[in-house]
Amino acid sequence: MGKTLIFGHKNPDTDTICSSLAYADLKKKLGADVEAVKLGDVNKETQFALDYFKFEAPEYLPTLEPGTEVILVDHNEFQQSSEGIEAARILEVIDHHRIANFETKEPVYFRAEPVGCTATIIKKMYKENQVDLPENIAGLLLSAIISDSLLLKSPTCTDEDVEAAHDLARIAGVNLEEYGLEMLKAGADLSDKSASELISMDAKEFSMHGAKVEVAQVNTVDVEGTYAIKAELEAAINKVIEEKGLDLFLFVVTDILNNDSDALALGKSADKVEKAFHTNLIENRAFLKGVVSRKKQIVTNLTDAFAE
Amino acid sequence: MGKTLIFGHKNPDTDTICSSLAYADLKKKLGADVEAVKLGDVNKETQFALDYFKFEAPEYLPTLEPGTEVILVDHNEFQQSSEGIEAARILEVIDHHRIANFETKEPVYFRAEPVGCTATIIKKMYKENQVDLPENIAGLLLSAIISDSLLLKSPTCTDEDVEAAHDLARIAGVNLEEYGLEMLKAGADLSDKSASELISMDAKEFSMHGAKVEVAQVNTVDVEGTYAIKAELEAAINKVIEEKGLDLFLFVVTDILNNDSDALALGKSADKVEKAFHTNLIENRAFLKGVVSRKKQIVTNLTDAFAE
């Protein structure tokens, strides 16, 4: 048996990468033979955090051999995981998402908590296991919380996340607000992205009462700048809809300064977006006031709309 | 919103009932408005434990209203849960089984650990939350571990379960071996059970690579006495197979003194039992040397046999 692989979801974000690296550090200190890997390229925001705290990104995992022992962080739904996950031996899951399309043959250590970020759970696990949290690992965990909570402003952010973030900033020796805004802005620079990159860099697929729905999200400080290539975005989205047989593709452009979103909806079930958010699509776009969380505001409302 | 209901699986066993009661005690002490309920009659073994430690069985839950807030213990697969579980609001799951056929819309507190008994996890949660474990609750948790581990002899029993059982026996003020054997024997008295009671009192349904499989188990000190009504058992099993459209019904009679089992297999996939255990069915029966655990020895081997 080789090393146990620790990884987060496809289209990795900062929580997925940083939680994989941090949990690998903790498991190694507890005597396990583990290695963090990634399922795709790291984004600019994550790269900023890795550079700041002097980490290398994990190795890319191209294929998962059957029977490999794995630990999943920051996801559990198989369609968001590595190809071949069904034939892997899942030892643990550490997550903060809804649970769906997950199955094991044997009992497993599964820890999901309704907090804003996987990193918040991993910080707690250092304490529970009485392992000192290194400064640079604290920096990674802090970056993950800032990312998932949009600097503690998302409705997914719990008191526990806020408390953890302040603790971690102190341990890492950074100013939470200053470091956080700098990191988010690094990730919000979309100027060099093509339409197909924009719609896939943080895309997740969901099954909603039988419908196939993909929700992609980008953070920006310039919403209209992102829509400058609206025609290309629509063409790229329609191509994905056709290839995957999707009922709906929702592309969510989130304004990290004002904490609102402006979404582009395509597919034969685009009317579900109108129903879910009590709004009208104008040229396929809808302004979603106060909406920043895919998990707590978008997926939940859309799932309800598909249930009707 | 009414109270949050805490319950274990259908056909409740000692872990399901005792863990529901204990977790309700802990949650109440942490300020939650909860109530333990049961999904079916308690068996004689569980009744012995309840009487010994002076508890009433939880109330029976006939139907689950949509939107009710619930906490599941000792199970997660929806087909083993209350009717209507899909429309309930699941807040937490505390379990030690494989995870399958479980889905939520929102993030949830899900804690599954690969230990032998839910009660072992709940004992730990008292400690984590710095709540004193009362003597009589310790007795319930001990009873659950003895039941699930057949007095610490099942292969599902981990070091953590053994340690927890010894701690709990000390707190409850009972001799582990003496109390344990007395409790198991109380449950192993099957003399007043009809064939249809025997095959349903601890039956669970599983989906194995598309096949519908039900595995029922009884504990006894008199295997041949149980098979005295073999013809009635077969008739009752064939009726269930027809009603539920099962591919296989496996009735496992476990000898708690010698830690072996003798199983009765019916259904069009009965040959999978021969494959799973490298044995031959003789008049539908097979002796399964050293097999006592449905979870770790029966379901795993059968699932593999159905995969081929």
Side-chain angles (χ1 to χ4, degrees), chain A residues 35-99:
Chain A
E35 187 188 350
V37 292
K38 64 179 181 186
L39 303 187
D41 292 336
V42 301
N43 63 34
K44 283 189 197 168
E45 179 195 278
T46 309
Q47 193 60 54
F48 178 91
L50 293 173
D51 291 344
Y52 196 99
F53 294 104
K54 303 193 170 48
F55 279 92
E56 295 287 326
E59 290 288 311
Y60 175 63
L61 177 74
T63 54
L64 188 57
E65 297 296 323
T68 307
E69 296 190 334
V70 302
I71 294 174
L72 309 187
V73 298
D74 195 33
H75 75 298
N76 67 82
E77 302 191 39
F78 282 179
Q79 77 279 8
Q80 297 169 2
S81 196
S82 172
E83 301 303 322
I85 188 66
E86 292 83 357
R89 190 151 171 256
I90 302 171
L91 300 185
E92 300 184 24
V93 179
I94 317 291
D95 194 14
H96 69 122
H97 294 91
R98 72 166 192 170
I99 297 163

Side-chain angles (χ1 to χ4, degrees), chain B residues 25-26 29 126-127 129-135 137-138 171:
Chain B
D25 174 75
L26 176 60
K29 286 174 178 162
Y126 271 89
K127 195 175 174 192
N129 287 285
Q130 299 172 322
V131 174
D132 280 336
L133 189 53
E135 265 179 52
I137 295 281
I171 298 168

